């Protein structure tokens, strides 16, 4: 004997409830308004207009920290040569690009270390695009022996 | 130049067309509020180039109106603005200003920036500040901070760190020195990359200066007299020509040495 409702009847009841609830919701019966793509942007600040310098200034060595800040901030505002930027990074032993290159190769070697021996040719195939290996989709599956 | 219809019988449509100016002619010339700027819009191309209208210009649908009187300036490739003169500051996002701390309420400092309402500065917005490690800010301190929220609908908010979490010179400054107020046009002249006033000033004697875009300048030199000299020069050099300024600087450096 079934005590609960059947799955189908339950679904029908839910649909009816949803229909009743959505009918009660109010909505605007207006035609769809397309938002016009406007190509004029409003800008309220003077900063991008006039390329203003950094506000803290010190002259003739009155405040050496502020003088250091002045050179730092004003060089950030201007686009300078790449070499000068690398020189300006005080306190950094390794530059950002060097770090990214090292990290990229590090990730690859760790990944290779932890894959199973069967999947290693596939990983090595990713590095060397020209090498001919069978596609990694063909996996060796256990075949049940037929009687 | 202007085709103003001052005739009392001119109807509105005529006057509107009369004030329509081609923008290329107007760059570097004075414009008045109400002028309509016409840009050469390439409607045939699919990709429309973005046009940025800076301070003093306002967009109304597809048109650009001038809303403040001044000189129209242009910067490549597509930025137009009005070079205007005013003393009252209106907070804008991203600008660095000098504020005076007026109140400490809970986790937030109330800072007076010279605008229509006071800005709020959270105590966590300082470098190295945590809930346990509060920054040492008292009522009446001067802070150099940047706006992160500044529009006409919300209370302006300041921070003393940048997006990486570094202070970059912002925060509380200034023991001693003198804070005074100038017009916004002078502040922008001082902060422009090839500022002659700054170049002349730095030759006189060593001093330190903090310039806020809200028209406030703080100066500190070795003695009180030197501080006052610099303050007076800055306040008065706005309306002087180059020769007058150079003569004043010459007299000052003679007296100092």
């Amino acid at each position: 004997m079934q005590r609960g409702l059947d799955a189908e009847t339950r679904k029908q009841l839910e649909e009816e409830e949803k229909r009743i609830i959505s009918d009660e919701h109010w909505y605007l019966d207006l035609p769809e308004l397309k938002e016009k793509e406007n190509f004029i942007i409003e800008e309220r600040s003077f900063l991008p207009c006039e390329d203003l310098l950094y506000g803290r200034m010190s002259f003739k060595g009155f405040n050496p920290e502020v003088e250091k800040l002045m050179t730092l901030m004003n060089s950030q505002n201007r686009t300078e040569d790449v070499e000068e930027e690398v020189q300006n990074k005080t306190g950094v032993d390794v530059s950002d690009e060097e770090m990214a290159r090292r990290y990229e190769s590090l990730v690859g070697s760790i990944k290779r270390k932890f894959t199973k021996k069967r999947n290693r040719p596939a990983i090595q195939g990713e590095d060397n695009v020209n090498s001919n290996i069978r596609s990694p989709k063909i996996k060796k599956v256990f075949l049940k022996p037929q009687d | 130049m202007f085709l103003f219809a001052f005739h009392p019988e001119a109807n509105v449509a005529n006057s509107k067309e009369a004030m329509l100016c081609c923008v290329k002619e107007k760059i570097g010339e004075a414009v008045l509020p109400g002028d309509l700027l016409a840009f050469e819009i390439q409607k045939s191309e699919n990709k429309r180039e973005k046009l940025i209208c800076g301070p003093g210009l306002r967009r109304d649908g597809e048109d650009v109106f001038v809303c403040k009187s001044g000189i129209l300036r242009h910067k490549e490739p597509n930025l137009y603005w009005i070079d205007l003169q005013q003393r009252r500051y209106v907070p804008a996002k991203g600008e660095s200003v000098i504020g005076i701390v007026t109140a400490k309420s809970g986790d937030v400092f109330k800072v007076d920036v010279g605008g229509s309402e006071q800005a709020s500065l959270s105590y966590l917005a300082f470098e190295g500040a945590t809930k346990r490690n509060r920054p040492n800010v008292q009522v009446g301190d001067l802070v150099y901070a940047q706006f992160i929220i500044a529009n006409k609908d919300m209370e302006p908010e300041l921070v003393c760190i940048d997006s990486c979490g570094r202070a970059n010179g912002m925060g509380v400054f200034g023991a001693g020195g003198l804070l005074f107020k100038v017009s916004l046009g002078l502040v922008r002249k001082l902060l422009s990359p090839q500022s002659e006033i700054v170049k002349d000033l730095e030759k006189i004697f060593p001093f330190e200066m903090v310039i806020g875009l809200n028209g406030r300048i703080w100066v500190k030199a070795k003695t009180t007299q030197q501080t006052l000299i610099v303050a007076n020069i800055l306040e008065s050099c706005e309306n002087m020509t180059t020769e007058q300024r150079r003569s004043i600087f010459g007299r000052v450096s003679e007296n100092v040495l």
Side-chain angles (χ1 to χ4, degrees):
Chain A
M1 187 174 92
Q2 277 182 342
R3 274 192 160 208
L5 289 169
D6 207 6
E8 287 181 22
T9 43
R10 215 182 303 148
K11 266 188 230 168
Q12 280 176 2
L13 275 175
E14 275 178 26
E15 276 173 22
E16 274 188 39
E17 274 184 40
K18 273 187 206 166
R19 220 184 317 130
I20 294 171
I21 291 172
S22 65
D23 276 343
E24 284 177 359
H25 284 158
W26 292 66
Y27 61 93
L28 286 172
D29 196 13
L30 291 172
E32 228 181 74
L33 294 167
K34 253 204 249 169
E35 200 188 287
K36 284 190 227 165
E37 191 197 307
N38 215 318
F39 67 108
I40 306 178
I41 307 172
E42 268 195 13
E43 169 75 52
R44 288 262 156 259
S45 159
F46 275 105
L47 274 179
C49 301
E50 296 187 6
D51 275 340
L52 301 175
L53 296 175
Y54 187 57
R56 289 192 82 162
M57 301 184 186
S58 156
F59 304 112
K60 292 204 171 174
F62 193 79
N63 192 337
E65 294 167 1
V66 175
E67 300 206 349
K68 254 190 271 172
L69 268 174
M70 271 171 75
T71 48
L72 192 68
M73 299 296 287
N74 289 335
S75 66
Q76 270 176 19
N77 283 349
R78 309 212 173 314
T79 49
E80 287 184 329
D81 307 325
V82 181
E83 299 167 33
E84 278 194 291
E85 274 184 23
V86 172
Q87 283 169 18
N88 277 343
K89 285 181 185 167
T90 54
V92 174
D93 298 322
V94 184
S95 76
D96 290 340
E97 290 126 340
E98 178 85 18
M99 183 75 192
R101 252 181 278 138
R102 293 274 171 87
Y103 196 69
E104 197 181 359
S105 62
L106 182 77
V107 162
S109 56
I110 297 286
K111 190 177 176 187
R112 231 179 295 135
K113 184 179 173 185
F114 284 102
T115 51
K116 300 214 164 164
K117 204 171 173 183
R118 285 182 186 175
N119 298 334
R120 265 195 219 151
I123 300 284
Q124 278 175 3
E126 277 171 27
D127 296 336
N128 317 326
V129 183
N130 291 331
S131 71
N132 295 330
I133 45 148
R134 54 189 169 85
S135 60
K137 285 182 186 168
I138 302 172
K139 270 191 176 171
K140 291 182 177 165
V141 184
F142 178 71
L143 289 172
K144 208 169 177 183
Q146 294 164 349
D147 292 332
Chain B
M1 285 218 352
F2 289 110
L3 300 170
F4 270 166
F6 279 116
H7 203 271
E9 286 162 14
N11 52 359
V12 180
N14 267 354
S15 56
K16 188 174 177 187
E17 282 168 15
M19 284 191 252
L20 192 82
C21 333
C22 184
V23 75
K24 296 251 165 76
E25 299 160 13
K26 288 287 159 201
I27 294 176
E29 292 191 4
V31 285
L32 291 179
D35 290 352
L36 188 69
L37 296 178
F39 297 93
E40 281 147 20
I41 309 167
Q42 300 107 347
K43 281 191 179 155
S44 54
E45 295 178 17
N46 283 336
K47 249 193 186 180
R48 277 178 157 185
E49 282 186 12
K50 297 252 174 197
L51 190 89
I52 307 179
C53 43
L57 293 173
R58 206 156 262 224
R59 168 176 78 83
D60 181 22
E62 296 261 343
D63 307 320
V64 174
F65 281 96
V66 175
C67 65
K68 293 212 172 144
S69 48
I71 302 180
L72 182 64
R73 301 262 184 234
H74 174 58
K75 181 176 161 188
E76 294 298 324
N78 53 0
L79 177 60
Y80 296 89
W81 78 93
I82 306 280
D83 193 4
L84 47 92
Q85 189 64 278
Q86 62 181 43
R87 283 189 75 97
R88 169 59 91 163
Y89 177 64
V90 174
K93 184 175 169 183
E95 294 193 344
S96 308
V97 292
I98 298 181
I100 307 175
V101 179
T102 53
K104 244 185 183 178
S105 62
D107 295 340
V108 150
F109 301 114
K110 285 285 177 212
V111 178
D112 166 42
V113 289
S116 55
E117 56 180 330
Q118 301 199 336
S120 69
L121 171 59
S122 163
Y123 77 100
L124 288 173
F126 290 85
E127 187 176 13
T130 59
K131 287 193 180 166
R132 301 263 178 95
N133 180 17
R134 297 197 165 216
N136 188 13
V137 178
Q138 307 302 324
V139 172
D141 279 351
L142 294 174
V143 281
Y144 186 63
Q146 229 177 20
F147 279 108
I148 42 165
I149 295 181
N151 50 33
K152 60 183 168 85
D153 304 314
M154 293 166 63
E155 181 193 28
E157 282 186 31
L158 291 167
V159 282
C160 286
I161 51 174
D162 64 357
S163 49
C164 305
R166 290 176 295 198
N168 277 344
M170 292 194 274
V172 179
F173 65 89
L178 178 68
L179 177 79
F180 55 97
K181 192 162 179 353
V182 293
S183 76
L184 305 189
L186 176 64
V187 163
R188 277 186 284 121
K189 256 195 269 182
L190 286 171
L191 285 176
S192 69
Q194 296 91 21
S195 168
E196 295 175 355
I197 309 175
V198 170
K199 279 187 200 152
D200 289 338
L201 267 177
E202 66 187 4
K203 293 176 201 157
I204 307 182
F205 40 65
F207 70 101
E208 185 192 357
M209 186 160 67
V210 178
I211 303 178
L213 280 162
N214 53 346
R216 291 187 183 162
I217 304 183
W218 177 85
V219 178
K220 182 173 177 188
K222 278 193 193 140
T223 64
T224 319
Q225 198 189 23
Q226 288 181 353
T227 313
L228 286 172
I229 291 172
V230 176
N232 282 331
I233 292 177
L234 283 171
E235 273 174 338
S236 57
C237 71
E238 189 180 347
N239 293 324
M240 289 199 273
T241 61
T242 317
E243 293 88 28
Q244 287 171 329
R245 204 177 60 229
R246 293 252 166 84
S247 67
I248 289 195
F249 278 116
R251 265 192 282 148
V252 166
S253 49
E254 279 167 32
N255 288 343
V256 165
L257 293 169

